[in-house]
Amino acid sequence: MTVSPPSPEEPFRVFVGYDPREDEAYEVCRRSLLRHASVPVDVRPIRQPELRAAGLYWRERGPTESTEFSFTRFLTPYLAGYRGWALFVDCDFLYLADIAGLLACLPASADRLAVACVKHEYAPAEPTKMDGAIQTVYPRKNWSSMVLYNCGHPKNVAALTPDAVSTQTGAFLHRFAWLDDDEIGEIPFAWNFLVGHNKVDPADPSTQPKAIHYTSGGPWFERYRNCDFAELWIKEAEELKADKEKEKQQQQQLINANGGEEEKKKEGN
């Protein structure tokens, strides 16, 4: 593999699509990534308002864009400084395995690749998803939902600029039209396991999901509260909530302790 192992000085960068309607999904995705990682990882949300404020994105939102990161995802190589490898992933993922295993999927000749992804053949049956968003059908659907980018690849540098991401068609971007087919590497589907589409074969360990993608909607939407693998996401969300409560209590104890010290100083005076 030609990808340099992440180090404390240079963690592996993961850009997660962020939408305020799915804030909890983002937090759970982030926690699951970090919890399983055996290598240093830097998780960064892609927030559309921040990109607009910085003059990096000015595209008007269209009726088929189900999330705020429908197109901003393609700024990943730019945001990574067109340097090294980085991952983009939708916020509706739950990681069950170490991201180091995902990097290990890249071939020894990875430098020639511009991207690597799961090459789904996916045609959703429902006309809507999530909280009523329009469900669109197009070739290579869900390929762009989790992508390993070779950020410095010449074709990514040339094609994935802020101007292009704000002006190019959805077909050009989501179908990776700036690339030749042999520049798109393939990742096993277990790393982008589509709930309701991919199936587990008990006799085949390779079909066990390593990253679950609640592509139509996850348990954070009432409509999908009981979807497949909902219990795994809910468990992670409950643990996240417990972590935050514990942190809040520790902060309060620290405040109380500092307050006590101040009172002692006053009494001493």
Side-chain angles (χ1 to χ4, degrees), residues 4 9 21 45 128 141-142 168 184 223-224 226 232-233 252 263:
S4 300
E9 296 76 23
R21 290 152 50 235
T128 62
K141 185 173 178 65
N142 261 316
Q168 276 288 2
I184 306 172
R223 176 180 173 184
Y224 296 97
N226 297 310
L232 296 178
W233 189 93
Q252 188 60 51
E263 287 299 321

Side-chain angles (χ1 to χ4, degrees), residues 69-163:
F69 52 87
S70 291
F71 288 105
T72 56
R73 70 184 70 221
F74 297 105
L75 287 171
T76 293
Y78 174 88
L79 296 173
Y82 294 121
R83 179 178 52 82
W85 285 81
L87 176 69
F88 170 82
V89 61
D90 286 2
C91 67
D92 54 358
F93 272 66
L94 178 70
Y95 279 82
L96 306 179
D98 186 351
I99 196 173
L102 173 61
L103 299 177
C105 292
L106 291 170
S109 55
D111 282 348
R112 66 178 175 79
L113 300 175
V115 301
C117 64
V118 177
K119 297 181 177 181
H120 288 295
E121 294 184 8
Y122 175 61
E126 295 180 323
T128 62
K129 61 180 180 177
M130 299 163 62
D131 54 355
I134 296 173
Q135 178 75 273
T136 56
V137 181
Y138 51 86
R140 297 183 171 179
K141 185 173 178 65
N142 261 316
W143 286 28
S144 63
S145 60
M146 191 199 74
V147 184
L148 279 167
Y149 281 98
N150 184 359
C151 300
H153 191 283
K155 288 192 175 180
N156 289 336
V157 175
L160 299 182
T161 63
D163 183 74

Side-chain angles (χ1 to χ4, degrees), residues 170-192:
F172 177 85
L173 294 168
H174 284 282
R175 300 180 196 178
F176 303 133
W178 70 94
L179 299 174
D180 295 329
D181 286 352
D182 63 0
E183 294 166 326
I184 306 172
E186 186 163 10
I187 300 294
F189 78 83
W191 286 101
N192 188 346

Side-chain angles (χ1 to χ4, degrees):
M1 184 179 72
T2 56
V3 180
S4 300
S7 68
E9 296 76 23
E10 185 67 35
F12 183 70
R13 296 155 298 173
V14 179
F15 294 86
V16 182
Y18 181 86
D19 190 296
R21 290 152 50 235
E22 298 183 281
D23 177 75
E24 187 180 15
Y26 164 76
E27 293 289 347
V28 169
C29 176
R30 179 180 183 276
R31 182 184 191 272
S32 69
L33 270 164
L34 294 173
R35 188 166 67 85
H36 291 287
S38 65
V39 296
V41 178
D42 179 10
V43 181
R44 311 177 187 181
I46 296 182
R47 302 180 190 270
Q48 188 185 120
E50 293 177 2
L51 297 174
R52 289 188 183 278
L56 299 176
Y57 187 75
W58 53 92
R59 188 185 201 110
E60 290 188 13
R61 184 165 180 173
T64 61
E65 294 177 45
S66 58
T67 66
E68 288 192 359
F69 52 87
S70 291
F71 288 105
T72 56
R73 70 184 70 221
F74 297 105
L75 287 171
T76 293
Y78 174 88
L79 296 173
Y82 294 121
R83 179 178 52 82
W85 285 81
L87 176 69
F88 170 82
V89 61
D90 286 2
C91 67
D92 54 358
F93 272 66
L94 178 70
Y95 279 82
L96 306 179
D98 186 351
I99 196 173
L102 173 61
L103 299 177
C105 292
L106 291 170
S109 55
D111 282 348
R112 66 178 175 79
L113 300 175
V115 301
C117 64
V118 177
K119 297 181 177 181
H120 288 295
E121 294 184 8
Y122 175 61
E126 295 180 323
T128 62
K129 61 180 180 177
M130 299 163 62
D131 54 355
I134 296 173
Q135 178 75 273
T136 56
V137 181
Y138 51 86
R140 297 183 171 179
K141 185 173 178 65
N142 261 316
W143 286 28
S144 63
S145 60
M146 191 199 74
V147 184
L148 279 167
Y149 281 98
N150 184 359
C151 300
H153 191 283
K155 288 192 175 180
N156 289 336
V157 175
L160 299 182
T161 63
D163 183 74
V165 173
S166 288
T167 58
Q168 276 288 2
T169 65
F172 177 85
L173 294 168
H174 284 282
R175 300 180 196 178
F176 303 133
W178 70 94
L179 299 174
D180 295 329
D181 286 352
D182 63 0
E183 294 166 326
I184 306 172
E186 186 163 10
I187 300 294
F189 78 83
W191 286 101
N192 188 346
F193 190 101
L194 301 181
V195 173
H197 174 71
N198 293 124
K199 302 298 180 185
V200 174
D201 179 355
D204 184 356
S206 70
T207 65
Q208 292 290 336
K210 298 179 183 297
I212 297 172
H213 185 187
Y214 301 89
T215 182
S216 293
W220 56 97
F221 291 119
E222 186 60 33
R223 176 180 173 184
Y224 296 97
R225 193 68 180 170
N226 297 310
C227 67
D228 291 344
F229 302 103
E231 71 284 357
L232 296 178
W233 189 93
I234 292 170
K235 181 175 183 292
E236 191 84 24
E238 289 174 345
E239 291 175 356
L240 173 64
K241 183 178 180 180
D243 288 347
K244 289 185 174 182
E245 185 60 33
K246 183 178 179 180
E247 182 179 355
K248 183 179 178 181
Q249 291 175 356
Q250 290 173 340
Q251 289 175 345
Q252 188 60 51
Q253 289 171 357
L254 182 61
I255 291 171
N256 293 340
N258 290 338
E261 290 298 321
E262 289 298 321
E263 287 299 321
K264 290 179 182 178
K265 290 180 182 178
K266 290 178 182 179
E267 291 173 4
N269 293 333

